[in-house]
Amino acid sequence: MSPPRPAQLPPLNPTRVFEATGRLLSVAKAAEELCVTPAAVSRQVRALEHFLGVKLFNRAHGRLELTPAGSRYLADITPLFAALLRATRAIQSRDRGRALLKIRSPATFAVRWLIPRLAGFHRDHPSIEVQLTTSSAPLDLDHEDIDAGIELGDGSWPTTQSQRLVANVLVPVVASARQQGPDRLERPEQLQDEVLLHTMARPDDWTRWFTAAGLDTERAYGGMKYETSLLAYQAALEGHGVAIAQKALVEKELTEGALTAPFRLELDLGSHTYYFVWSAGKARPAALNAFCAWLADVVDA
């Protein structure tokens, strides 16, 4: 009697393609991430399905959905790919004699607050390499290949520790050139006739400010809508309307005079602000300790 055939590892490339497709639930997005064609993604997924002998995806109402088997398999392999990536990054960093710190942040916060200050961290810690990525999706420290991230919320997330960064103060802002003319803004009531610039990721900011100002909130929903605050602030700079801004993220423009906050009312959202967040269940590496200490110094400065 011949010995039982040893279990075979799955083909690595099709498995990697499946992980990306299952995570993104999109053949097109997986193809973009992996720098291949959608047809190549579909072929690799079919190859893995053939190897496993199970169907991994269904299409329902034009959308890609994981089958129960596909969902289980994705949950099992995702930590393995994350561990493989961490091990690869770690050995690359050790080979260069540098520690690697991977951080994710919302794009607007990264561009307008973190990046202008990062040069100071690099100067103080030349042996630590920071890799910064951006996304507006909630942090998933258990499955993402990151050490920590920046999150907007109340600072209380399960299985995490957090460090408060800035005050979240809402102020309407407008291009300063607009304030030089006869139609300058002087009273909040004038906003009823203005083009309001909204951030789709923060749809209630104008409503909150209108409520604090005692204005009819029905008018707070109209105007132009942008995917990120970064785009809304740029639209305000170019004179397209009035944006509701997080004051800490437009300090440079307010100080230099490119933007003006025309009203005295500033709405502080208290504990609902930006936090630096890391896993509570893992030991903090020295590089992360150094970054936390540096952030505390920057915030207190």
Side-chain angles (χ1 to χ4, degrees), residues 93-105:
S93 297
R94 284 195 296 270
D95 189 54
R96 294 191 298 265
R98 297 166 64 85
L100 180 63
L101 186 62
K102 300 177 290 298
I103 295 169
R104 177 159 77 73
S105 168

Side-chain angles (χ1 to χ4, degrees), residues 139-289:
L139 293 172
D140 186 354
L141 295 170
D142 291 330
H143 298 102
E144 290 185 79
D145 181 39
I146 55 175
D147 298 298
I150 292 166
E151 187 85 281
L152 178 65
D154 63 3
S156 243
W157 294 280
T159 71
T160 68
Q161 291 182 297
S162 62
Q163 180 174 333
R164 192 174 188 269
L165 295 178
V166 297
N168 189 11
V169 177
L170 299 182
V171 292
V173 295
V174 64
S176 294
R178 155 72 189 275
Q179 290 297 92
Q180 307 306 314
D183 58 346
R184 60 180 292 145
L185 296 174
E186 296 178 331
R187 303 180 314 280
E189 292 79 9
Q190 292 175 271
L191 291 175
Q192 306 280 353
D193 301 316
E194 293 294 321
V195 176
L196 303 182
L197 308 178
H198 298 259
T199 301
M200 292 164 63
R202 301 169 54 84
D204 299 323
D205 282 358
W206 267 122
T207 305
R208 290 186 177 114
W209 196 89
F210 266 50
T211 299
L215 301 176
D216 181 2
T217 58
E218 183 177 351
R219 180 65 184 82
Y221 295 98
M224 302 291 290
K225 296 177 173 60
Y226 298 88
E227 182 180 10
T228 66
S229 297
L230 195 62
L231 299 178
Y233 299 163
Q234 187 61 37
L237 284 165
E238 295 182 11
H240 298 317
V242 186
I244 185 70
Q246 294 164 286
K247 189 176 181 181
L249 305 187
V250 292
E251 282 180 334
K252 180 174 182 289
E253 287 77 10
L254 291 173
T255 300
E256 294 178 353
L259 289 174
T260 297
F263 312 117
R264 295 182 62 183
L265 175 62
E266 297 182 349
L267 180 60
D268 191 337
L269 297 185
S271 62
H272 185 80
T273 187
Y274 288 100
Y275 295 82
F276 187 63
V277 182
W278 63 93
S279 176
K282 301 176 185 176
R284 284 198 325 190
L288 183 54
N289 282 333

Side-chain angles (χ1 to χ4, degrees), residues 23-104:
R23 171 167 42 84
L24 299 169
L25 286 179
S26 168
V27 169
K29 289 180 180 178
E32 182 179 357
E33 179 177 297
L34 299 170
C35 299
V36 298
T37 66
V41 168
S42 297
R43 283 196 301 272
Q44 296 283 8
V45 169
R46 286 196 299 270
L48 183 61
E49 288 178 328
H50 178 74
F51 176 86
L52 297 173
V54 297
K55 191 172 179 61
L56 299 172
F57 292 102
N58 286 320
R59 279 204 172 272
H61 309 294
R63 298 180 60 185
L64 198 64
E65 294 181 351
L66 287 159
T67 64
S71 183
R72 288 193 302 272
Y73 195 55
L74 180 66
D76 286 340
I77 68 170
T78 295
L80 304 179
F81 273 96
L84 179 61
L85 191 52
R86 281 195 299 271
T88 303
R89 302 279 197 202
I91 198 167
Q92 288 174 333
S93 297
R94 284 195 296 270
D95 189 54
R96 294 191 298 265
R98 297 166 64 85
L100 180 63
L101 186 62
K102 300 177 290 298
I103 295 169
R104 177 159 77 73

